[in-house]
PDB file of all heavy atoms in Angstrom:
ATOM      1  N   ASP A 299     -92.819-238.429 -28.775  1.00  0.00           N
ATOM      2  CA  ASP A 299     -92.334-239.023 -29.939  1.00  0.00           C
ATOM      3  C   ASP A 299     -90.803-239.280 -29.893  1.00  0.00           C
ATOM      4  O   ASP A 299     -90.237-238.776 -28.874  1.00  0.00           O
ATOM      5  CB  ASP A 299     -92.707-238.215 -31.187  1.00  0.00           C
ATOM      6  CG  ASP A 299     -92.199-236.792 -31.188  1.00  0.00           C
ATOM      7  OD1 ASP A 299     -91.287-236.519 -30.356  1.00  0.00           O
ATOM      8  OD2 ASP A 299     -92.692-235.925 -31.900  1.00  0.00           O
ATOM      9  N   ALA A 300     -90.312-239.756 -30.922  1.00  0.00           N
ATOM     10  CA  ALA A 300     -88.849-240.097 -31.002  1.00  0.00           C
ATOM     11  C   ALA A 300     -88.000-238.798 -30.840  1.00  0.00           C
ATOM     12  O   ALA A 300     -86.888-238.840 -30.316  1.00  0.00           O
ATOM     13  CB  ALA A 300     -88.501-240.874 -32.261  1.00  0.00           C
ATOM     14  N   ASP A 301     -88.517-237.697 -31.506  1.00  0.00           N
ATOM     15  CA  ASP A 301     -87.720-236.400 -31.443  1.00  0.00           C
ATOM     16  C   ASP A 301     -87.589-235.958 -30.002  1.00  0.00           C
ATOM     17  O   ASP A 301     -86.489-235.503 -29.637  1.00  0.00           O
ATOM     18  CB  ASP A 301     -88.440-235.403 -32.279  1.00  0.00           C
ATOM     19  CG  ASP A 301     -88.419-235.670 -33.771  1.00  0.00           C
ATOM     20  OD1 ASP A 301     -87.535-236.432 -34.179  1.00  0.00           O
ATOM     21  OD2 ASP A 301     -89.174-235.080 -34.503  1.00  0.00           O
ATOM     22  N   ALA A 302     -88.574-236.190 -29.201  1.00  0.00           N
ATOM     23  CA  ALA A 302     -88.436-235.657 -27.775  1.00  0.00           C
ATOM     24  C   ALA A 302     -87.526-236.485 -27.107  1.00  0.00           C
ATOM     25  O   ALA A 302     -86.740-235.931 -26.288  1.00  0.00           O
ATOM     26  CB  ALA A 302     -89.783-235.602 -27.101  1.00  0.00           C
ATOM     27  N   ILE A 303     -87.588-237.816 -27.133  1.00  0.00           N
ATOM     28  CA  ILE A 303     -86.723-238.695 -26.409  1.00  0.00           C
ATOM     29  C   ILE A 303     -85.291-238.439 -26.971  1.00  0.00           C
ATOM     30  O   ILE A 303     -84.356-238.488 -26.124  1.00  0.00           O
ATOM     31  CB  ILE A 303     -87.124-240.131 -26.627  1.00  0.00           C
ATOM     32  CG1 ILE A 303     -88.514-240.356 -25.900  1.00  0.00           C
ATOM     33  CG2 ILE A 303     -86.110-241.050 -26.000  1.00  0.00           C
ATOM     34  CD1 ILE A 303     -89.134-241.755 -26.036  1.00  0.00           C
ATOM     35  N   GLY A 304     -85.146-238.256 -28.231  1.00  0.00           N
ATOM     36  CA  GLY A 304     -83.840-237.955 -28.882  1.00  0.00           C
ATOM     37  C   GLY A 304     -83.225-236.680 -28.224  1.00  0.00           C
ATOM     38  O   GLY A 304     -82.051-236.609 -28.094  1.00  0.00           O
ATOM     39  N   GLN A 305     -84.070-235.662 -27.928  1.00  0.00           N
ATOM     40  CA  GLN A 305     -83.614-234.473 -27.332  1.00  0.00           C
ATOM     41  C   GLN A 305     -82.946-234.724 -25.994  1.00  0.00           C
ATOM     42  O   GLN A 305     -81.927-234.161 -25.686  1.00  0.00           O
ATOM     43  CB  GLN A 305     -84.699-233.457 -27.322  1.00  0.00           C
ATOM     44  CG  GLN A 305     -84.382-232.204 -26.449  1.00  0.00           C
ATOM     45  CD  GLN A 305     -83.448-231.348 -27.035  1.00  0.00           C
ATOM     46  OE1 GLN A 305     -83.001-231.402 -28.347  1.00  0.00           O
ATOM     47  NE2 GLN A 305     -82.820-230.395 -26.332  1.00  0.00           N
ATOM     48  N   ILE A 306     -83.646-235.563 -25.168  1.00  0.00           N
ATOM     49  CA  ILE A 306     -83.119-235.963 -23.900  1.00  0.00           C
ATOM     50  C   ILE A 306     -81.778-236.600 -24.023  1.00  0.00           C
ATOM     51  O   ILE A 306     -80.803-236.314 -23.267  1.00  0.00           O
ATOM     52  CB  ILE A 306     -84.079-236.767 -23.124  1.00  0.00           C
ATOM     53  CG1 ILE A 306     -85.453-236.027 -22.881  1.00  0.00           C
ATOM     54  CG2 ILE A 306     -83.560-237.342 -21.812  1.00  0.00           C
ATOM     55  CD1 ILE A 306     -85.348-234.868 -21.920  1.00  0.00           C
ATOM     56  N   ALA A 307     -81.778-237.569 -24.933  1.00  0.00           N
ATOM     57  CA  ALA A 307     -80.504-238.263 -25.009  1.00  0.00           C
ATOM     58  C   ALA A 307     -79.395-237.430 -25.625  1.00  0.00           C
ATOM     59  O   ALA A 307     -78.217-237.623 -25.139  1.00  0.00           O
ATOM     60  CB  ALA A 307     -80.703-239.507 -26.083  1.00  0.00           C
TER      61      ALA A 307
END
Side-chain angles (χ1 to χ4, degrees):
D299 61 15
D301 289 341
I303 294 177
Q305 170 67 14
I306 297 292

